[in-house]
């Protein structure tokens, strides 16, 4: 088998793209910047979505669906100062194609079917949702509204990469409305905790919870909370955001409620989202040069069983044992399992294929194994192989899957922790970013100008001010001005 | 409480719209023809989607996701004769909004951000998917491809109605690729059976399986199979379609495979879909002037419990029993249940509210009921109320939910069966359509011209030629020409 995947050392960026395409997660499409999420990649997304959806519902949220299109004027309501503003987005201007009268077989946009008002394909749904909430909210009894939406959104990105940055992507966006500032802030941090729980305990990717600087905030937010993860190339990736929107959207869309004392006030808001970008984070946090490494708790397939046989008789014996006993027993133990007895491919080819696809556990069973009542069990994460007795196999596999989940997380956590470096002067700052990479914990004078200057000089941004950050006296790494805490800088996706 | 919902007798169409809006299923939006699916409506859709998704997976299908946009040229590939052709669809022509230099606070489409090729928001995905399949299929070993997609689609409808016909709607679209005609035809009818199973056994709406006439076929299909349901106003509604596409799309997008003998041939295709339109069918098949009637198997909420009390002491006693025993026991029996002890609303108001929302079973419990170890159980479908002993309540409620499901189905089935009328001449045909309504089983000479003429004269279309239709000699109801079978005409949504 030829080397399909570029190694990380050779070209990290090409490794990533090769991996996504060759492991059948996704592919480029005929539409610039838009991807096709292939069945294997979509099964992964379904697992992630289902876990998140359950978490949202357990925290009191319900799903709804709002229109794909946002009339242009609603963005004007949102943008308090539209001059100089530009939004890269897909704009629908017409509603009909027709046959080209001058060119048989070709289609043209019918100039007579021009919309009175252009429609924007939603880049996010605050505008259309708050315009809707206006009709739903009169009194404190209508609050809180705790709604989530699973949807596709479009942002006209110039440089795209599969999962990480695509023109169209899938995501969820929570949009909540509250009677008090306190309740809205509590919702914002609650959802940040939900995201951190999901990314750490299901995706096995450790994250740092923090708050963005004003420069890095979502437009329209009073505070943007985020979780930041670290990739194997030492670059950070924002894995999710939760925004406290204050009364900004309520004011833009005139959404008021009467409180218990019959006093009118603007509604308090939050929004929060994660997207298919998380799949990019998952890949870059764990995978290696042979392919994906997927955490068992969200892997589309946890265990694959490959028979090793010569001739029909051996095959029949293995079939009987695997189909009759092992597969049903594993399924009964809650393990997703596939018996790959396709005889068009040899075991070695299958091993490489499932390795590439990141299936956490591979079980190989031959005729002699059957005689000895054992099977060879290989872990994808460490590549260890061990002979397991078939007695009590399901419980052992369940325990092994747990161990793999934990090991993947620990490995990523160690890497992340080794890549948080405290630096105290500019030379160290630049050197650490260039050589060691990762997060750089440095003092900063708190001004947007300094932040901008550091970005210009190093391409590093302030990823976040960690929650419950230690307060300490220090001097800004660039300006030497006084500072009371370190913030986390990094180059980022 | 004022009469919120117009009665069916008064104005069927207004009844439908009132019901959708007042029961919180959906609402109109700021975007012409697009709806907001509210949490209650979306929960219903989630239940429907989850059941269908399971059925698709059990029949060997996997989900994937393809781009929202289809380049204009891909439609040209699909349309063999584009002259005179017009497609009502949303067309993206630009990719940027910017501040209007002449009008502060306003936005304009940036004329410099014009797309080289216009993009159409998918009205259906055959074009983009078959353009993608071209890259996936080389050999018979790559077949079959059995993919489904859950997505939003947009068709620029001029006259829209919530759920029934909206510019944007949610649906699933299956797109399969096969090595033989036989296998593709088998897939087409298999998915028709899946749809019929779902609509009858979960939505409790009886359907007639049939095949469309050439006039009513999906463009590009060799055969369109459908399930047709009957609404309470005697109009038919197409509830799902499954298309045998022959090799048409493979030819349009040049998708060939080499078979086992290494011979090249075009791939055989099917596509099949159902949409949020099914919710419209559900409403119009079962509901009454008081509100929705939902089949227990897909109702967002199956049972609501309302306490009837005076004073805190009674309330505390009822709370203890309901929260401590009844709710957990019902949940353990797999019943979705809500205890509505909100003290801002009176029981009568709650009763009307849950009646409007179609919750299948309402349980009311008062202090005296508690003493007698009973509760009042009311069915939404028949409005019967009975006193139930609290002993063994969960099993009785489970049985009652089954009975309600069956009763709703039987009621719709009887209505449908009473509204299939065999007619043998034109006068009867017109009179039946106008007075009795429903399906009219009549002989037809098999020509598109006659079909078109009948549609012009009566607005009735041939809904389908039922599968396994009885063959009998007869004369066309319009032309008197010979016919070998009756077909089903109706006015339709």
């Amino acid at each position: 088998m030829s080397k399909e995947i570029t190694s990380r050392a050779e070209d990290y960026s090409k490794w990533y793209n090769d991996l996504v395409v060759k492991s059948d997660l996704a592919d480029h499409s005929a539409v610039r910047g838009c991807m096709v999420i292939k069945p294997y990649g979509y099964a992964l997304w379904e697992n992630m979505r289902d876990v998140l959806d359950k978490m949202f519902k357990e925290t009191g949220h319900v799903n709804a669906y709002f229109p794909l299109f946002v009339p242009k004027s609603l963005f004007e309501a949102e943008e308090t100062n539209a001059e100089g503003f530009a939004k890269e987005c897909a704009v629908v201007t017409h509603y009909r194609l027709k046959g080209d009268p001058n060119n048989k077989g070709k289609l043209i946009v019918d100039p007579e079917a021009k919309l009175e008002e252009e429609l924007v394909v939603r880049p996010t749904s605050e505008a259309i949702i708050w315009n809707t909430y206006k009709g739903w909210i009169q009194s404190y009894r209508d609050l809180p509204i705790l709604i989530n939406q699973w949807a596709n959104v479009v942002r006209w990105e110039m440089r795209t990469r599969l999962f990480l940055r695509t023109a169209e992507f899938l995501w969820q966006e929570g949009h909540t409305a509250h009677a008090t500032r306190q309740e809205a802030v509590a919702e914002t941090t609650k959802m940040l905790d939900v995201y951190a729980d999901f990314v750490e305990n299901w995706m096995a990717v450790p994250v740092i919870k923090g708050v963005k600087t004003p420069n890095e905030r979502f437009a329209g937010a009073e505070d943007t909370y985020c979780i930041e993860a670290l990739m194997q190339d030492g670059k950070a990736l924002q894995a999710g955001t939760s925004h406290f929107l204050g009364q900004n959207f309520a004011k833009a869309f005139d959404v008021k409620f009467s409180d218990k004392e019959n006093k009118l006030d603007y509604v308090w808001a939050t929004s929060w989202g994660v997207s298919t970008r998380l799949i990019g984070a998952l890949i870059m946090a764990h995978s290696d040069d042979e392919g994906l490494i997927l955490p068992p708790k969200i892997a589309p397939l946890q265990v694959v069983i490959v028979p090793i046989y010569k001739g029909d008789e051996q095959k029949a014996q293995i079939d009987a044992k695997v189909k009759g006993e092992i597969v049903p027993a594993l399924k009964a133990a809650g393990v997703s399992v596939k018996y790959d007895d396709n005889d068009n491919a040899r075991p070695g080819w299958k091993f490489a294929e499932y390795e590439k696809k990141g299936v956490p556990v591979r079980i190989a069973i031959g005729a002699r194994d059957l005689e000895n009542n054992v099977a060879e069990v290989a872990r994808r994460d460490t590549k260890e192989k061990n002979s397991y007795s078939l007695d009590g196999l399901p419980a052992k596999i369940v325990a092994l899957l747990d161990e793999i989940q934990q090991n993947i997380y620990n490995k990523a956590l160690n890497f992340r922790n080794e890549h948080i470096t405290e630096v105290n002067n500019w030379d160290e700052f630049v050197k650490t970013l260039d050589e060691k990479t990762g997060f750089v914990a440095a003092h900063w004078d708190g001004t947007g100008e300094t932040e901008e200057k550091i970005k210009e000089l190093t391409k590093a941004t302030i990823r976040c001010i960690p929650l419950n950050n230690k307060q300490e006296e220090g001097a800004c790494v660039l300006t030497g001005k006084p500072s009371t805490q370190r913030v986390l800088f990094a180059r980022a996706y």
Side-chain angles (χ1 to χ4, degrees), chain A:
Chain A
M1 193 172 121
S2 65
K3 189 73 184 166
E4 291 180 287
I5 302 170
T6 306
S7 74
R8 285 164 292 181
E10 194 182 332
D11 185 338
Y12 189 86
S13 175
K14 195 163 183 317
W15 164 78
Y16 174 79
N17 194 71
D18 282 357
L19 194 45
V20 171
V21 174
K22 301 289 171 63
S23 67
D24 281 335
L25 289 179
D27 211 338
H28 303 277
S29 80
V31 187
R32 205 197 60 81
C34 293
M35 64 179 161
V36 172
I37 306 180
K38 298 177 82 172
Y40 193 60
Y42 200 81
L44 179 60
W45 178 242
E46 283 181 314
N47 286 351
M48 293 165 66
R49 183 197 64 188
D50 289 350
V51 173
L52 278 168
D53 196 68
K54 192 155 174 280
M55 287 177 159
F56 298 156
K57 284 173 178 162
E58 282 169 356
T59 45
H61 302 87
V62 289
N63 290 327
Y65 188 78
F66 295 85
L68 171 67
F69 300 125
V70 185
K72 190 185 70 176
S73 57
L74 290 191
F75 283 106
E76 291 166 353
E78 183 184 339
E79 304 300 332
T80 48
N81 182 14
E83 201 184 351
F85 165 89
K87 200 172 204 95
E88 308 296 318
C89 53
V91 187
V92 177
T93 57
H94 291 74
Y95 60 85
R96 188 182 301 127
L97 289 184
K98 65 171 195 175
D100 183 347
N102 304 316
N103 202 348
K104 193 170 155 63
K106 296 290 175 187
L107 296 171
I108 58 167
V109 177
D110 187 346
E112 289 177 18
K114 193 171 185 313
L115 291 173
E116 278 182 40
E117 179 179 2
E118 296 88 350
L119 298 173
V120 174
V121 179
R122 62 183 163 216
T124 179
S125 300
E126 275 82 2
I128 189 78
I129 288 180
W130 277 89
N131 185 62
T132 307
Y133 282 179
K134 183 178 167 57
W136 293 0
I137 300 170
Q138 279 87 41
S139 133
Y140 71 94
R141 279 182 297 263
D142 301 320
L143 298 172
I145 293 179
L146 302 173
I147 283 183
N148 175 62
Q149 167 171 274
W150 291 95
N152 53 345
V153 288
V154 172
R155 297 172 186 182
W156 210 260
E157 303 284 355
M158 280 300 126
R159 296 182 57 190
T160 61
R161 302 186 65 188
L162 293 168
F163 289 120
L164 291 172
R165 178 165 278 116
T166 47
E168 183 192 14
F169 57 92
L170 304 184
W171 80 343
Q172 59 68 217
E173 46 182 326
H175 296 276
T176 69
H178 306 266
T180 66
R181 164 186 281 271
Q182 189 184 15
E183 193 184 298
V185 170
E187 167 77 9
T188 312
T189 55
K190 180 201 278 179
M191 298 321 291
L192 189 76
D193 289 342
V194 165
Y195 287 154
D197 180 8
F198 172 71
V199 176
E200 297 202 324
N201 296 317
W202 295 83
M203 292 176 54
V205 176
V207 294
I208 295 166
K209 292 191 268 191
V211 66
K212 291 285 184 191
T213 60
N215 274 6
E216 299 281 331
R217 239 178 236 154
F218 172 60
E222 282 197 23
D223 263 319
T224 289
Y225 293 80
C226 62
I227 49 173
E228 294 285 328
L230 193 64
M231 304 295 101
Q232 291 179 68
D233 62 347
K235 284 169 81 173
L237 187 146
Q238 175 180 296
T241 48
S242 184
H243 311 291
F244 169 58
L245 302 172
Q247 294 175 313
N248 294 338
F249 281 90
K251 284 175 181 165
F253 292 95
D254 193 31
V255 188
K256 291 179 191 166
F257 75 105
S258 58
D259 66 14
K260 285 185 186 176
E261 284 76 41
N262 230 0
K263 202 163 56 75
L264 270 183
D265 194 8
Y266 288 108
V267 174
W268 299 87
T270 85
S271 69
W272 29 273
V274 296
S275 74
T276 37
R277 188 165 209 240
L278 281 180
I279 296 178
L282 184 73
I283 296 166
M284 289 203 297
H286 302 311
S287 301
D288 64 20
D289 292 348
E290 277 70 48
L292 298 175
I293 292 180
L294 297 178
K297 283 168 84 170
I298 54 168
L301 179 66
Q302 294 175 315
V303 174
V304 63
I305 303 176
V306 178
I308 317 284
Y309 59 90
K310 281 185 189 145
D312 291 347
E313 195 185 331
Q314 286 193 358
K315 174 73 173 12
Q317 285 168 354
I318 298 170
D319 274 5
K321 184 74 177 178
V322 175
K323 291 185 186 172
E325 293 178 32
I326 300 176
V327 166
L330 283 170
K331 284 189 176 165
V335 174
S336 67
V337 56
K338 175 182 166 183
Y339 178 44
D340 184 353
D341 65 343
N342 172 10
D343 56 11
N344 283 325
R346 282 186 295 183
W349 187 90
K350 291 179 186 173
F351 287 7
E353 189 65 15
Y354 292 110
E355 191 165 66
K356 193 169 68 185
K357 291 198 161 179
V359 177
V361 170
R362 181 188 74 222
I363 301 177
I365 300 189
R368 186 168 300 170
D369 292 327
L370 264 196
E371 281 171 27
N372 296 329
N373 196 41
V374 297
E376 184 195 77
V377 175
R379 294 169 62 149
R380 174 64 184 91
D381 60 335
T382 60
K383 298 189 188 169
E384 284 175 277
K385 289 185 217 174
N386 282 295
S387 182
Y388 275 49
S389 162
L390 294 181
D391 296 334
L393 187 69
K396 284 182 275 184
I397 296 296
V398 167
L400 180 61
L401 290 169
D402 283 348
E403 193 183 322
I404 293 171
Q405 180 83 26
Q406 196 58 51
N407 178 58
I408 293 175
Y409 177 76
N410 288 343
K411 194 175 166 204
L413 182 64
N414 289 338
F415 178 84
R416 199 277 311 273
N417 287 346
E418 284 163 10
H419 286 82
I420 304 178
T421 311
E422 291 198 356
V423 307
N424 295 306
N425 62 57
W426 184 248
D427 284 351
E428 270 178 34
F429 185 91
V430 174
K431 195 168 172 220
T432 305
L433 275 177
D434 284 345
E435 293 173 15
K436 188 177 173 192
T437 75
F439 291 111
V440 179
H443 280 282
W444 160 61
D445 66 18
T447 69
E449 295 72 39
T450 300
E451 190 180 1
E452 198 54 48
K453 183 77 187 168
I454 291 175
K455 187 175 170 185
E456 277 173 39
L457 292 169
T458 65
K459 291 185 182 159
T461 49
I462 300 178
R463 302 315 304 157
C464 70
I465 304 164
L467 297 189
N468 308 315
N469 208 17
K470 191 173 74 173
Q471 299 297 301
E472 60 172 40
E473 297 293 309
C476 174
V477 80
L478 184 72
T479 64
K481 289 183 188 162
S483 150
T484 58
Q485 60 182 352
R486 293 176 187 273
V487 299
L488 291 181
F489 288 87
R491 291 177 183 140
Y493 281 93

